[in-house]
Structures are given as structure tokens and as C-alpha cells.
Amino acid sequence: MSQTKTKNHNQSIPKKAVVIYSGGMDSFTVLHLALKQGYELYPLTFDYGQRHAKEVEYAQKVCASLQLPLKVLDIRVINQLMQSSSLTQDGLEIPEGHYKEESMKSTVVPNRNMILLSLAIGYAVDIGALDVFYGAHSGDHAIYPDCRPEFVNAMNDVAKIANYDPIEIHTPFLHSDKIEILKTGIEMGLDYGNTWTCYNGREKACGKCGSCNERLEAFRLNHQQDPLEYETA
């Protein structure tokens, strides 16, 4: 009798998972999706010197409201090696327009997701979690090589053999675009006023960078009003 009770009790314990949580729309939706699936979450946010560090503030507020143990990891030291991205270098202008445009390649931070996933996997192993979530989606495929299915599948293979315990990488929106992600969040009743997307970390979103363009398009096509304030309004 006692053995049966113990087994049932163990089955009720939620699984731990690490969520790479930037504070943006995609990771915000992924965070709540993982919560809905019953995971015990350990969000991880990275300060890699991004000019839009305002998203970290949004991540902190959301995790505080949900009483989640957010860790903000300072990895700005990587910019001693990688100085080609307009997202991290003040001397480079943030391009305006859509992600499909050639100019948007300047927003690529070399090898970023491999670095972030490696750290998240290490964190998961350390706390006894077997799952890592991150918000790669199909809208990023055209410009960011480390958001493509080939990359995610390869990283998943490595994550299963890099440590004694295999880690599973979850990308629930890998084959969805921002429009579909927002639709999912709206159906979940999420408030996207708690997210920051703009690559310029000013008081209001610029409304012109690739990230703002994609966000505004998603709201427009979902027939919704974006709750954020924009400089272009």
C-alpha cells in the first residue's frame, strides 16, 4: 500500500524546465505555454549587451508577478569577441524595414543561440531539469541561421549526449510565424503589454525596426490593437 502511494505522489510532482526568456513576445508566449503544460519553470534571461536591454526589465516584472525564480545572466563579455552586430554595437545603426531585407543581417549576433542554449542546458543539468524551452519560430528562419529546424534538430541531438542526463530542447513555435504565435497567446488571454520587442531600447517602441514591423503586422493580421506605445503613432 505504501509503495503505491509513493509512486502516485511522485507522478504528481511537476517536471522542471528551463525557459530561455528574453522578455519579448515569442518567449513570453512560450513561458506561458510551458506553465500551462504543468512544468515547474526556471526562466533564464541573458544580458549580452543588447541595445534593447529594456526587454530584461519586462522579463523581471513578468517573472515577479508569476513568482518564478528568474535568473539574469550577464554574458556581456562575449562582445569582446563579436562586434559585428548592430544589436550590441552603439556605433552601428539599427536597420529599418522587414526581416526579409538584406540589411537586417546586421542584427545577427554570431552563434548567439548556440551560446544561450549551451548555458541553458548546463543550468538544466545542474538543477535536475530535463527540458529546455526557447522561442525560435519560422519568421526568423530567413535571417537567423540558429533559428532554423536544422540547427534546432542538431542541438537536440547534442543535448542528448553532452551530459549524463539527456536534455530535450522544445521549440513549440519552430514552424509557426509571429502571427500564429500571437493568435495562440490571444487565445490564452495573455497581455502583450508585458512584452518588449523593439530593437531600440528607448522609452517608446520605434515602430520602424524589423522587430517592430513584424510585431505590428502580427497584431494587424490578428485584428488586435498593440498595447505598446510607439514613437510613430
Side-chain angles (χ1 to χ4, degrees):
M1 287 289 291
S2 61
Q3 288 182 345
T4 302
K5 287 181 180 179
T6 301
K7 183 177 180 181
N8 290 338
H9 174 71
N10 289 339
Q11 287 178 338
S12 68
I13 297 174
K15 294 193 297 182
K16 293 181 179 180
V18 172
V19 178
I20 297 178
Y21 181 40
S22 69
M25 285 179 64
D26 311 323
S27 61
F28 177 75
T29 312
V30 168
L31 179 84
H32 283 85
L33 198 61
L35 273 176
K36 188 177 180 181
Q37 292 173 1
Y39 284 92
E40 178 183 329
L41 296 187
Y42 292 81
L44 185 57
T45 296
F46 296 95
D47 178 357
Y48 56 90
Q50 62 269 46
R51 291 161 69 169
H52 55 302
K54 191 170 181 176
E55 64 180 1
V56 177
E57 298 173 16
Y58 277 74
Q60 291 171 322
K61 290 176 185 176
V62 167
C63 288
S65 69
L66 295 172
Q67 297 184 314
L68 295 175
L70 175 69
K71 282 190 180 294
V72 179
L73 193 61
D74 186 347
I75 58 169
R76 287 175 293 176
V77 68
I78 67 172
N79 289 310
Q80 294 181 25
L81 302 176
M82 292 169 285
Q83 300 181 4
S84 61
S85 176
S86 59
L87 292 193
T88 58
Q89 301 302 313
D90 289 336
L92 299 177
E93 188 174 345
I94 297 285
E96 298 177 355
H98 200 277
Y99 276 122
K100 294 179 181 178
E101 296 176 25
E102 185 71 16
S103 62
M104 291 305 297
K105 287 185 177 180
S106 79
T107 64
V108 173
V109 178
N111 214 35
R112 178 178 62 178
N113 282 346
M114 183 177 284
I115 295 167
L116 304 190
L117 279 168
S118 293
L119 292 168
I121 290 166
Y123 181 35
V125 170
D126 193 65
I127 64 174
L130 297 177
D131 302 274
V132 169
F133 285 80
Y134 93 108
H137 64 87
S138 66
D140 284 338
H141 296 177
I143 192 68
Y144 299 121
D146 54 6
C147 288
R148 295 173 185 168
E150 298 92 330
F151 169 80
V152 174
N153 293 337
M155 281 299 292
N156 230 331
D157 289 340
V158 171
K160 287 179 172 61
I161 62 173
N163 298 279
Y164 291 119
D165 295 316
I167 303 297
E168 181 79 20
I169 298 172
H170 300 270
T171 50
F173 297 117
L174 186 61
H175 301 289
S176 303
D177 59 21
K178 185 85 75 176
I179 302 158
E180 295 168 306
I181 293 171
L182 180 59
K183 183 176 185 293
T184 299
I186 291 169
E187 291 171 349
M188 292 171 63
L190 302 185
D191 179 5
Y192 285 91
N194 293 317
T195 65
W196 182 263
T197 302
C198 182
Y199 282 153
N200 292 292
R202 299 192 286 263
E203 183 179 351
K204 296 181 181 179
C206 74
K208 296 180 180 179
C209 69
S211 194
C212 280
N213 270 294
E214 189 183 48
R215 176 182 175 124
L216 287 167
E217 179 182 50
F219 273 94
R220 185 172 64 254
L221 293 178
N222 274 288
H223 309 290
Q224 297 286 321
Q225 178 68 41
D226 189 342
L228 284 188
E229 289 187 85
Y230 285 84
E231 295 173 347
T232 55

